[in-house]
Coordinates of all heavy atoms in Angstrom, one line a residue:
E1 N 6.0 15.1 12.7 CA 6.4 14.9 11.3 C 6.8 13.4 11.1 O 6.5 12.8 10.0 CB 7.6 15.8 10.9 CG 7.2 17.3 10.8 CD 7.1 18.0 12.2 OE1 7.6 17.5 13.2 OE2 6.5 19.1 12.2
E2 N 7.4 12.8 12.1 CA 7.8 11.4 12.0 C 6.5 10.5 11.8 O 6.5 9.6 11.0 CB 8.6 10.9 13.2 CG 10.0 11.4 13.3 CD 10.8 10.9 14.5 OE1 10.2 10.2 15.3 OE2 12.0 11.3 14.6
R3 N 5.5 10.8 12.6 CA 4.3 10.1 12.5 C 3.6 10.3 11.2 O 3.2 9.3 10.5 CB 3.3 10.6 13.6 CG 2.0 9.8 13.6 CD 0.9 10.6 14.4 NE -0.4 10.0 14.3 CZ -1.2 10.1 13.2 NH1 -0.8 10.9 12.2 NH2 -2.3 9.5 13.1
D4 N 3.6 11.5 10.7 CA 3.0 11.8 9.4 C 3.8 11.1 8.2 O 3.2 10.6 7.3 CB 3.1 13.3 9.1 CG 2.1 14.1 10.0 OD1 1.3 13.5 10.7 OD2 2.3 15.3 10.1
R5 N 5.1 11.0 8.4 CA 5.9 10.2 7.3 C 5.5 8.8 7.4 O 5.4 8.2 6.3 CB 7.4 10.4 7.6 CG 7.9 11.8 7.3 CD 9.4 11.9 7.5 NE 10.1 11.2 6.4 CZ 11.3 10.7 6.5 NH1 12.0 10.8 7.6 NH2 11.8 10.1 5.5
L6 N 5.4 8.2 8.6 CA 5.0 6.8 8.6 C 3.6 6.6 8.1 O 3.4 5.6 7.3 CB 5.1 6.2 10.0 CG 4.7 4.7 10.1 CD1 5.6 3.8 9.3 CD2 4.7 4.3 11.6
M7 N 2.7 7.5 8.4 CA 1.3 7.3 7.9 C 1.3 7.3 6.3 O 0.6 6.6 5.7 CB 0.4 8.4 8.4 CG 0.1 8.3 9.9 SD -0.5 6.7 10.5 CE 1.0 6.0 11.3
A8 N 2.1 8.2 5.7 CA 2.2 8.3 4.3 C 2.9 7.0 3.8 O 2.4 6.5 2.7 CB 3.0 9.5 3.9
A9 N 3.9 6.5 4.4 CA 4.5 5.3 4.0 C 3.6 4.1 4.0 O 3.6 3.3 3.1 CB 5.7 5.0 4.9
L10 N 2.7 4.1 5.1 CA 1.7 3.0 5.2 C 0.7 3.0 4.0 O 0.3 2.0 3.5 CB 1.1 3.0 6.5 CG 2.0 2.6 7.7 CD1 1.3 2.9 9.0 CD2 2.4 1.1 7.6
K11 N 0.3 4.2 3.7 CA -0.6 4.4 2.5 C 0.0 3.9 1.2 O -0.6 3.3 0.4 CB -1.1 5.9 2.4 CG -2.0 6.3 3.5 CD -2.4 7.7 3.4 CE -3.3 8.1 4.5 NZ -3.7 9.5 4.4
I12 N 1.3 4.3 1.0 CA 2.0 3.8 -0.2 C 2.1 2.3 -0.2 O 1.8 1.6 -1.2 CB 3.4 4.4 -0.3 CG1 3.3 5.9 -0.6 CG2 4.3 3.7 -1.3 CD1 4.6 6.7 -0.5
A13 N 2.4 1.7 1.0 CA 2.5 0.2 1.0 C 1.1 -0.4 0.8 O 1.0 -1.4 0.1 CB 3.0 -0.2 2.4
G14 N 0.1 0.3 1.3 CA -1.3 -0.2 1.1 C -1.7 -0.2 -0.4 O -2.4 -1.1 -0.9
L15 N -1.3 0.9 -1.1 CA -1.6 1.0 -2.5 C -0.9 -0.1 -3.3 O -1.5 -0.8 -4.1 CB -1.1 2.4 -3.1 CG -2.0 3.6 -2.8 CD1 -1.3 4.9 -3.2 CD2 -3.3 3.5 -3.5
D16 N 0.3 -0.3 -2.9 CA 1.1 -1.4 -3.6 C 0.4 -2.7 -3.4 O 0.2 -3.5 -4.3 CB 2.5 -1.4 -3.1 CG 3.4 -2.3 -3.9 OD1 3.9 -1.9 -4.9 OD2 3.6 -3.5 -3.4
L17 N 0.1 -3.0 -2.1 CA -0.5 -4.3 -1.8 C -1.9 -4.5 -2.5 O -2.2 -5.5 -3.0 CB -0.6 -4.5 -0.3 CG -1.1 -5.8 0.2 CD1 -0.2 -7.0 -0.3 CD2 -1.1 -5.8 1.7
G18 N -2.6 -3.4 -2.5 CA -4.0 -3.4 -3.1 C -3.9 -3.7 -4.6 O -4.7 -4.5 -5.1
M19 N -2.9 -3.0 -5.2 CA -2.8 -3.3 -6.7 C -2.3 -4.7 -7.0 O -2.8 -5.3 -7.9 CB -1.9 -2.2 -7.3 CG -2.5 -0.9 -7.4 SD -1.5 0.3 -8.3 CE -0.4 0.9 -7.0
R20 N -1.4 -5.2 -6.2 CA -0.9 -6.6 -6.4 C -2.1 -7.6 -6.2 O -2.2 -8.5 -7.0 CB 0.3 -6.9 -5.5 CG 1.5 -6.2 -6.0 CD 2.8 -6.6 -5.3 NE 2.8 -6.0 -3.9 CZ 3.0 -6.7 -2.8 NH1 3.2 -8.0 -2.8 NH2 3.0 -6.0 -1.7
K21 N -2.9 -7.4 -5.2 CA -4.0 -8.3 -5.0 C -5.0 -8.2 -6.1 O -5.6 -9.2 -6.5 CB -4.7 -8.0 -3.6 CG -3.8 -8.4 -2.4 CD -3.3 -9.8 -2.5 CE -4.3 -10.8 -2.3 NZ -3.7 -12.2 -2.3
G22 N -5.3 -7.0 -6.6 CA -6.2 -6.8 -7.8 C -5.6 -7.5 -9.0 O -6.4 -8.1 -9.8
I23 N -4.3 -7.4 -9.2 CA -3.7 -8.1 -10.4 C -3.9 -9.6 -10.2 O -4.3 -10.3 -11.1 CB -2.2 -7.7 -10.5 CG1 -2.1 -6.3 -11.0 CG2 -1.5 -8.7 -11.4 CD1 -0.7 -5.7 -10.9
E24 N -3.6 -10.1 -9.0 CA -3.8 -11.6 -8.7 C -5.3 -12.0 -9.0 O -5.6 -13.0 -9.6 CB -3.5 -11.9 -7.3 CG -2.0 -12.0 -7.0 CD -1.8 -12.2 -5.5 OE1 -2.6 -12.9 -4.9 OE2 -0.7 -11.8 -5.0
F25 N -6.2 -11.1 -8.6 CA -7.6 -11.4 -8.8 C -7.9 -11.5 -10.3 O -8.6 -12.5 -10.7 CB -8.5 -10.3 -8.1 CG -10.0 -10.5 -8.3 CD1 -10.7 -11.3 -7.4 CD2 -10.6 -10.0 -9.3 CE1 -12.0 -11.5 -7.5 CE2 -12.0 -10.2 -9.5 CZ -12.7 -10.9 -8.6
C26 N -7.5 -10.5 -11.0 CA -7.8 -10.5 -12.5 C -7.0 -11.7 -13.2 O -7.6 -12.2 -14.2 CB -7.5 -9.2 -13.1 SG -8.7 -7.9 -12.6
K27 N -5.9 -12.1 -12.7 CA -5.2 -13.2 -13.3 C -6.0 -14.5 -13.2 O -6.1 -15.3 -14.1 CB -3.8 -13.4 -12.7 CG -2.7 -12.5 -13.2 CD -1.4 -12.8 -12.6 CE -0.3 -11.9 -13.1 NZ 1.0 -12.2 -12.5
T28 N -6.7 -14.6 -12.1 CA -7.5 -15.7 -11.8 C -8.9 -15.7 -12.5 O -9.4 -16.7 -13.0 CB -7.8 -15.9 -10.3 OG1 -6.6 -16.0 -9.6 CG2 -8.7 -17.1 -9.9

């Protein structure tokens, strides 16, 4: 369960980072 929680946390962080990079891309 601890591993599963971290994997979910990493996906959330990845979504956040991916959206921020997409916003930067479109700003440019």
Side-chain angles (χ1 to χ4, degrees):
E1 290 80 17
E2 287 181 358
R3 180 194 172 283
D4 293 346
R5 289 183 73 204
L6 179 62
M7 295 304 107
L10 291 168
K11 288 178 182 179
I12 290 170
L15 282 170
D16 188 83
L17 185 57
M19 284 187 277
R20 285 188 286 129
K21 292 308 292 181
I23 289 168
E24 285 178 26
F25 179 87
C26 288
K27 280 183 178 178
T28 302

